[in-house]
C-alpha cells in the first residue's frame, strides 16, 4: 500500500520519465526481452492513471528514442507492436479521463499502422482538458531543437520573423512541447544516471531523481517516493534559498 504523503499544493507541474530497465528485468526473470517491454506497459498504465488522478498537469514519457532503431529487428518489432496494442487498449479510458495525448517525435518515420494510430489518438483527444500526456516516440532532443531552428529560419526567410526577434520564447514555441511548463521533475528508473537525448531544453532547471528500480517494477509507491524527493529539494533557479 502507498503510504507516502504528498503535498498536493507542491506537485511538479511537469513530470518527465525515462522508462528504463525493461531488458534487465526480462533477463532477471529469465524471460525474452519482449516480455520485459510488455511488463513495462503494465507499469505505464498505472503511472498515467495515477498522474491524472493526483492532478499532474503534464506527463512526458520516453517510449522510443531515435537511437533505439539500432536494436535488433525482433526487439524493434516487439516495441512497435506493443505501442499499437497500448493505444488500442487504452484510448477509450484515456479519452474518458479527459487525457490529451501528444506525440513528440517524427511520426513519419514510423510504420504506417503505428503512425495512423498515434495520429488518431492525438486527434480524438485534442480538445480534452485533463492531464496532458506527451509520449516521445522516434524522438531525439537534439533533432527536436534542430527542427525548431529550421522552423525559425523558414519564418525569417518568409519575412514573417526578424532575426533580432528570435529569443528563448520564439524557439520554445517551436518545440513539440510548446505551451507546456518546463519539466520540474525528471525520473529515470534502473539506476542509470544520464539523459539519453531526452528533453534537453525542457529540463534546464529540472530536479533529477534516479530510482534504482527497473521500470516494470516501478509502482505507485516508487512514483510517489520520487515526487516526495522532489518536494524535499530546494529549487533556487540561480537565486538564494529562502532563509
Ligand atoms: C527501456 O528499457 C525501454 C526502451 C528503451 C524502449 P531497456 O530495453 O532499455 O532496458 P535495459 O536498459 O536493457 O535494461
Ligand atoms: C532511453 O533508454 C530511451 C528510452 C527509455 C525509450 P535507453 O536504454 O535506450 O538509453 P541508453 O542507451 O542506456 O542511454
Ligand atoms: Mg536501457
Amino acid at each position: 500500500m502507498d503510504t507516502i504523503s504528498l503535498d498536493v499544493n507542491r506537485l511538479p507541474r511537469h513530470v518527465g520519465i525515462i522508462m528504463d530497465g525493461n531488458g534487465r528485468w526480462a533477463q532477471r526473470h529469465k524471460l525474452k526481452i519482449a516480455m520485459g517491454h510488455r511488463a513495462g506497459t503494465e507499469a505505464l498504465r498505472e503511472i498515467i492513471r495515477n498522474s491524472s488522478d493526483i492532478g499532474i498537469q503534464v506527463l512526458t514519457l520516453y517510449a522510443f528514442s531515435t537511437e533505439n532503431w539500432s536494436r535488433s529487428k525482433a526487439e524493434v518489432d516487439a516495441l512497435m507492436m506493443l505501442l499499437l496494442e497500448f493505444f488500442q487498449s487504452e484510448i477509450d479510458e484515456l479519452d474518458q479521463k479527459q487525457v490529451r495525448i501528444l506525440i513528440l517525435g517524427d511520426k513519419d518515420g514510423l510504420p504506417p499502422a503505428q503512425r495512423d494510430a498515434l495520429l488518431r489518438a492525438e486527434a480524438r483527444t485534442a480538445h480534452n482538458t485533463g492531464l496532458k500526456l506527451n509520449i516521445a516516440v522516434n524522438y531525439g532532443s537534439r533533432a527536436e531543437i534542430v527542427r525548431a531552428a529550421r522552423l525559425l529560419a523558414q519564418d525569417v526567410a518568409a519575412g514573417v520573423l526578424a532575426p533580432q526577434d528570435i529569443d528563448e520564447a520564439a524557439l520554445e514555441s517551436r518545440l513539440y512541447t510548446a505551451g507546456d511548463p518546463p519539466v520540474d521533475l525528471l525520473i529515470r528508473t534502473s539506476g542509470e544516471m544520464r539523459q539519453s537525448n531526452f528533453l534537453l531544453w525542457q529540463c534546464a532547471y529540472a530536479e533529477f531523481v534516479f530510482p534504482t528500480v527497473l521500470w516494470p517494477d516501478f509502482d505507485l509507491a516508487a512514483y510517489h517516493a520520487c515526487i516526495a524527493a522532489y518536494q524535499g529539494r530546494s529549487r533556487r533557479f540561480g537565486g538564494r534559498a529562502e532563509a
Side-chain angles (χ1 to χ4, degrees), residues 142-209:
R142 287 176 174 174
E144 177 187 30
I145 294 168
V146 168
R147 175 178 170 273
R150 192 177 302 129
L151 293 170
L152 287 170
Q154 281 167 359
D155 284 350
V156 170
V160 295
L161 181 70
Q164 61 272 21
D165 291 334
I166 295 177
D167 55 10
E168 291 184 12
L171 192 143
E172 198 159 274
S173 70
R174 286 154 177 95
L175 297 174
Y176 295 118
T177 51
D180 294 345
V183 176
D184 292 310
L185 168 61
L186 181 77
I187 300 168
R188 182 174 190 147
T189 55
S190 87
E192 307 289 356
M193 291 187 258
R194 57 176 169 274
Q195 221 172 320
S196 300
N197 203 14
F198 184 55
L199 304 179
L200 300 176
W201 174 287
Q202 297 88 337
C203 283
Y205 266 104
E207 296 294 333
F208 286 54
V209 177

Side-chain angles (χ1 to χ4, degrees), residues 18-20 62-65 68 71 188 192 194 196:
I18 302 176
M19 309 182 288
D20 200 10
Y62 207 2
F64 192 89
S65 74
N68 288 144
R71 298 189 180 192
R188 182 174 190 147
E192 307 289 356
R194 57 176 169 274
S196 300

Side-chain angles (χ1 to χ4, degrees), residues 1 12 16-17 40 44 51 67 73 88 108 133 139 172 205 232:
M1 208 33 222
I17 307 186
L44 183 64
S51 299
E67 290 76 19
K73 181 176 182 318
Q88 280 161 357
D108 291 337
L133 177 62
Y139 172 88
E172 198 159 274
Y205 266 104

